[in-house]
Amino acid sequence: MKSNEPSNEERVWQVVALIPSGQVSTYGEIARMAGLERRARQVGGIMSRLPQGTSLPWHRVINASGRISLPVGSHGHTEQRRRLQEEGVVFINGCASLRRYRWHP
DNA sequence: CGAATGACTCCTT
DNA sequence: CAAGGAGCCATTC
């Protein structure tokens, strides 16, 4: 009988779900927390294929530069920024200015 | 099945 | 700070 091993996708979902409102994390950090160190790209791929209408706080995931990775002007970018601002995240010149979730300098 | 792709990141110049 | 390049690897062609 097979044990239900969580797929990478499921592990990433689980980690993203833990990001508190008003805070953000990065693809690389998500990868690390999901046991996928150095696979930030894979996390991005998983995010891009999230089911429509997901309850995951996908908008709290940004890149290591503190910017939204979706193309500027795209629907996704606009929505992500709107949701973050709604949670109190401040943007300065396209950069999210707020402490990261589990970010260590 | 090999090649291209991508919501990435780090290091060097 | 910007640009170039290497590393990474599941998914899609």
Short mmCIF file of all heavy atoms in Angstrom, two decimals, chain B residues 1-12:
data_model
loop_
_atom_site.label_atom_id
_atom_site.label_comp_id
_atom_site.label_asym_id
_atom_site.label_seq_id
_atom_site.Cartn_x
_atom_site.Cartn_y
_atom_site.Cartn_z
P DC B 1 13.27 7.84 -23.03
OP1 DC B 1 13.27 8.50 -21.87
OP2 DC B 1 13.25 6.49 -23.36
"O5'" DC B 1 13.11 8.74 -24.34
"C5'" DC B 1 13.69 8.34 -25.57
"C4'" DC B 1 14.14 9.52 -26.36
"O4'" DC B 1 12.97 10.18 -26.91
"C3'" DC B 1 14.81 10.57 -25.48
"O3'" DC B 1 15.88 11.19 -26.18
"C2'" DC B 1 13.72 11.58 -25.21
"C1'" DC B 1 12.92 11.54 -26.51
N1 DC B 1 11.52 11.91 -26.24
C2 DC B 1 11.00 13.01 -26.91
O2 DC B 1 11.69 13.56 -27.76
N3 DC B 1 9.75 13.42 -26.62
C4 DC B 1 9.03 12.78 -25.71
N4 DC B 1 7.81 13.22 -25.44
C5 DC B 1 9.53 11.63 -25.02
C6 DC B 1 10.77 11.25 -25.32
P DG B 2 17.19 11.70 -25.25
OP1 DG B 2 18.35 10.82 -25.48
OP2 DG B 2 16.72 11.92 -23.87
"O5'" DG B 2 17.49 13.11 -25.94
"C5'" DG B 2 17.79 13.14 -27.32
"C4'" DG B 2 17.45 14.51 -27.88
"O4'" DG B 2 16.04 14.78 -27.71
"C3'" DG B 2 18.18 15.65 -27.19
"O3'" DG B 2 18.52 16.63 -28.18
"C2'" DG B 2 17.17 16.17 -26.18
"C1'" DG B 2 15.85 15.95 -26.91
N9 DG B 2 14.71 15.69 -26.04
C8 DG B 2 14.63 14.80 -24.99
N7 DG B 2 13.44 14.78 -24.42
C5 DG B 2 12.70 15.69 -25.14
C6 DG B 2 11.36 16.10 -25.00
O6 DG B 2 10.51 15.70 -24.19
N1 DG B 2 11.01 17.07 -25.94
C2 DG B 2 11.84 17.58 -26.88
N2 DG B 2 11.32 18.51 -27.69
N3 DG B 2 13.11 17.21 -27.04
C4 DG B 2 13.47 16.27 -26.14
P DA B 3 19.28 17.98 -27.75
OP1 DA B 3 20.21 18.32 -28.86
OP2 DA B 3 19.77 17.86 -26.36
"O5'" DA B 3 18.10 19.06 -27.77
"C5'" DA B 3 17.41 19.30 -29.00
"C4'" DA B 3 16.49 20.50 -28.85
"O4'" DA B 3 15.36 20.14 -28.02
"C3'" DA B 3 17.15 21.72 -28.21
"O3'" DA B 3 16.67 22.88 -28.88
"C2'" DA B 3 16.66 21.64 -26.76
"C1'" DA B 3 15.28 21.02 -26.90
N9 DA B 3 14.85 20.20 -25.76
C8 DA B 3 15.58 19.31 -25.03
N7 DA B 3 14.89 18.72 -24.07
C5 DA B 3 13.61 19.26 -24.20
C6 DA B 3 12.41 19.04 -23.50
N6 DA B 3 12.29 18.17 -22.50
N1 DA B 3 11.34 19.74 -23.88
C2 DA B 3 11.44 20.60 -24.90
N3 DA B 3 12.51 20.89 -25.63
C4 DA B 3 13.58 20.17 -25.23
P DA B 4 17.16 24.35 -28.45
OP1 DA B 4 17.43 25.13 -29.68
OP2 DA B 4 18.19 24.21 -27.40
"O5'" DA B 4 15.83 24.94 -27.79
"C5'" DA B 4 14.60 24.85 -28.51
"C4'" DA B 4 13.44 25.34 -27.64
"O4'" DA B 4 13.16 24.39 -26.60
"C3'" DA B 4 13.70 26.68 -26.96
"O3'" DA B 4 12.54 27.47 -27.09
"C2'" DA B 4 13.97 26.28 -25.51
"C1'" DA B 4 13.10 25.05 -25.35
N9 DA B 4 13.53 24.09 -24.32
C8 DA B 4 14.77 23.56 -24.12
N7 DA B 4 14.83 22.70 -23.14
C5 DA B 4 13.52 22.65 -22.66
C6 DA B 4 12.92 21.92 -21.63
N6 DA B 4 13.57 21.05 -20.85
N1 DA B 4 11.61 22.11 -21.41
C2 DA B 4 10.94 22.97 -22.18
N3 DA B 4 11.40 23.71 -23.19
C4 DA B 4 12.72 23.50 -23.39
P DT B 5 12.57 28.99 -26.58
OP1 DT B 5 11.68 29.78 -27.45
OP2 DT B 5 13.97 29.40 -26.35
"O5'" DT B 5 11.86 28.84 -25.16
"C5'" DT B 5 10.67 28.07 -25.08
"C4'" DT B 5 10.11 28.12 -23.67
"O4'" DT B 5 10.63 27.03 -22.88
"C3'" DT B 5 10.40 29.41 -22.90
"O3'" DT B 5 9.19 29.91 -22.36
"C2'" DT B 5 11.34 28.97 -21.79
"C1'" DT B 5 10.95 27.51 -21.59
N1 DT B 5 12.01 26.65 -21.06
C2 DT B 5 11.68 25.78 -20.06
O2 DT B 5 10.58 25.69 -19.57
N3 DT B 5 12.72 24.98 -19.62
C4 DT B 5 14.01 24.98 -20.09
O4 DT B 5 14.84 24.20 -19.62
C5 DT B 5 14.30 25.93 -21.15
C7 DT B 5 15.67 26.02 -21.72
C6 DT B 5 13.29 26.71 -21.58
P DG B 6 9.05 31.47 -22.04
OP1 DG B 6 7.74 31.95 -22.51
OP2 DG B 6 10.28 32.18 -22.39
"O5'" DG B 6 8.99 31.40 -20.44
"C5'" DG B 6 7.94 30.69 -19.80
"C4'" DG B 6 8.26 30.54 -18.33
"O4'" DG B 6 9.30 29.55 -18.19
"C3'" DG B 6 8.78 31.83 -17.67
"O3'" DG B 6 8.08 32.08 -16.45
"C2'" DG B 6 10.25 31.55 -17.41
"C1'" DG B 6 10.28 30.03 -17.29
N9 DG B 6 11.56 29.43 -17.65
C8 DG B 6 12.48 29.88 -18.56
N7 DG B 6 13.55 29.14 -18.64
C5 DG B 6 13.31 28.13 -17.73
C6 DG B 6 14.11 27.01 -17.37
O6 DG B 6 15.22 26.70 -17.81
N1 DG B 6 13.51 26.22 -16.40
C2 DG B 6 12.27 26.47 -15.85
N2 DG B 6 11.85 25.61 -14.94
N3 DG B 6 11.51 27.50 -16.18
C4 DG B 6 12.08 28.29 -17.12
P DA B 7 6.96 33.26 -16.69
OP1 DA B 7 5.63 32.77 -17.07
OP2 DA B 7 7.63 34.29 -17.49
"O5'" DA B 7 6.86 33.67 -15.17
"C5'" DA B 7 7.13 34.99 -14.77
"C4'" DA B 7 7.22 35.00 -13.28
"O4'" DA B 7 5.88 34.94 -12.74
"C3'" DA B 7 7.98 33.81 -12.69
"O3'" DA B 7 9.01 34.30 -11.86
"C2'" DA B 7 6.94 33.05 -11.89
"C1'" DA B 7 5.91 34.13 -11.57
N9 DA B 7 4.55 33.65 -11.39
C8 DA B 7 3.91 32.62 -12.02
N7 DA B 7 2.68 32.44 -11.67
C5 DA B 7 2.47 33.43 -10.71
C6 DA B 7 1.37 33.78 -9.93
N6 DA B 7 0.19 33.16 -10.00
N1 DA B 7 1.50 34.79 -9.07
C2 DA B 7 2.67 35.42 -9.00
N3 DA B 7 3.79 35.20 -9.69
C4 DA B 7 3.62 34.17 -10.53
P DC B 8 10.49 34.46 -12.44
OP1 DC B 8 10.90 35.85 -12.26
OP2 DC B 8 10.59 33.82 -13.75
"O5'" DC B 8 11.35 33.58 -11.44
"C5'" DC B 8 10.89 33.14 -10.18
"C4'" DC B 8 12.09 32.76 -9.33
"O4'" DC B 8 13.02 32.03 -10.14
"C3'" DC B 8 12.82 33.96 -8.75
"O3'" DC B 8 13.15 33.69 -7.38
"C2'" DC B 8 14.07 34.05 -9.59
"C1'" DC B 8 14.31 32.60 -10.00
N1 DC B 8 15.04 32.50 -11.27
C2 DC B 8 16.24 31.78 -11.29
O2 DC B 8 16.63 31.23 -10.26
N3 DC B 8 16.93 31.72 -12.44
C4 DC B 8 16.47 32.33 -13.54
N4 DC B 8 17.21 32.24 -14.64
C5 DC B 8 15.25 33.05 -13.55
C6 DC B 8 14.57 33.11 -12.40
P DT B 9 13.88 34.87 -6.51
OP1 DT B 9 13.47 34.70 -5.12
OP2 DT B 9 13.72 36.17 -7.18
"O5'" DT B 9 15.40 34.42 -6.59
"C5'" DT B 9 15.73 33.11 -6.18
"C4'" DT B 9 17.23 32.91 -6.19
"O4'" DT B 9 17.71 32.74 -7.54
"C3'" DT B 9 18.00 34.09 -5.60
"O3'" DT B 9 18.97 33.57 -4.71
"C2'" DT B 9 18.65 34.74 -6.81
"C1'" DT B 9 18.83 33.56 -7.75
N1 DT B 9 18.87 33.90 -9.18
C2 DT B 9 19.84 33.31 -9.97
O2 DT B 9 20.67 32.55 -9.53
N3 DT B 9 19.81 33.65 -11.30
C4 DT B 9 18.93 34.50 -11.91
O4 DT B 9 19.01 34.72 -13.11
C5 DT B 9 17.94 35.10 -11.04
C7 DT B 9 16.94 36.05 -11.60
C6 DT B 9 17.96 34.76 -9.73
P DC B 10 19.76 34.59 -3.74
OP1 DC B 10 19.61 34.06 -2.36
OP2 DC B 10 19.38 35.98 -4.05
"O5'" DC B 10 21.27 34.36 -4.17
"C5'" DC B 10 21.75 33.04 -4.36
"C4'" DC B 10 23.01 33.06 -5.21
"O4'" DC B 10 22.67 33.34 -6.59
"C3'" DC B 10 23.99 34.15 -4.77
"O3'" DC B 10 25.25 33.58 -4.49
"C2'" DC B 10 24.04 35.12 -5.94
"C1'" DC B 10 23.59 34.26 -7.12
N1 DC B 10 22.91 35.04 -8.17
C2 DC B 10 23.28 34.84 -9.50
O2 DC B 10 24.15 34.01 -9.75
N3 DC B 10 22.68 35.56 -10.46
C4 DC B 10 21.74 36.45 -10.15
N4 DC B 10 21.17 37.14 -11.14
C5 DC B 10 21.34 36.68 -8.80
C6 DC B 10 21.94 35.95 -7.84
P DC B 11 26.38 34.55 -3.86
OP1 DC B 11 27.07 33.71 -2.85
OP2 DC B 11 25.81 35.85 -3.49
"O5'" DC B 11 27.34 34.76 -5.09
"C5'" DC B 11 27.66 33.65 -5.92
"C4'" DC B 11 28.46 34.13 -7.11
"O4'" DC B 11 27.56 34.68 -8.11
"C3'" DC B 11 29.47 35.24 -6.76
"O3'" DC B 11 30.72 34.96 -7.36
"C2'" DC B 11 28.83 36.49 -7.34
"C1'" DC B 11 28.06 35.94 -8.54
N1 DC B 11 26.91 36.75 -8.96
C2 DC B 11 26.76 37.03 -10.32
O2 DC B 11 27.58 36.57 -11.11
N3 DC B 11 25.73 37.81 -10.72
C4 DC B 11 24.86 38.29 -9.82
N4 DC B 11 23.86 39.05 -10.28
C5 DC B 11 24.98 38.02 -8.44
C6 DC B 11 26.02 37.25 -8.04
P DT B 12 31.96 35.97 -7.03
OP1 DT B 12 33.11 35.08 -6.80
OP2 DT B 12 31.59 36.98 -6.02
"O5'" DT B 12 32.16 36.71 -8.41
"C5'" DT B 12 32.20 35.95 -9.61
"C4'" DT B 12 32.24 36.87 -10.81
"O4'" DT B 12 30.93 37.45 -11.03
"C3'" DT B 12 33.23 38.04 -10.67
"O3'" DT B 12 34.01 38.13 -11.85
"C2'" DT B 12 32.33 39.26 -10.53
"C1'" DT B 12 31.08 38.84 -11.28
N1 DT B 12 29.84 39.50 -10.86
C2 DT B 12 29.06 40.08 -11.84
O2 DT B 12 29.35 40.08 -13.02
N3 DT B 12 27.91 40.66 -11.38
C4 DT B 12 27.48 40.74 -10.07
O4 DT B 12 26.42 41.29 -9.80
C5 DT B 12 28.35 40.12 -9.10
C7 DT B 12 27.98 40.13 -7.66
C6 DT B 12 29.48 39.53 -9.54
#
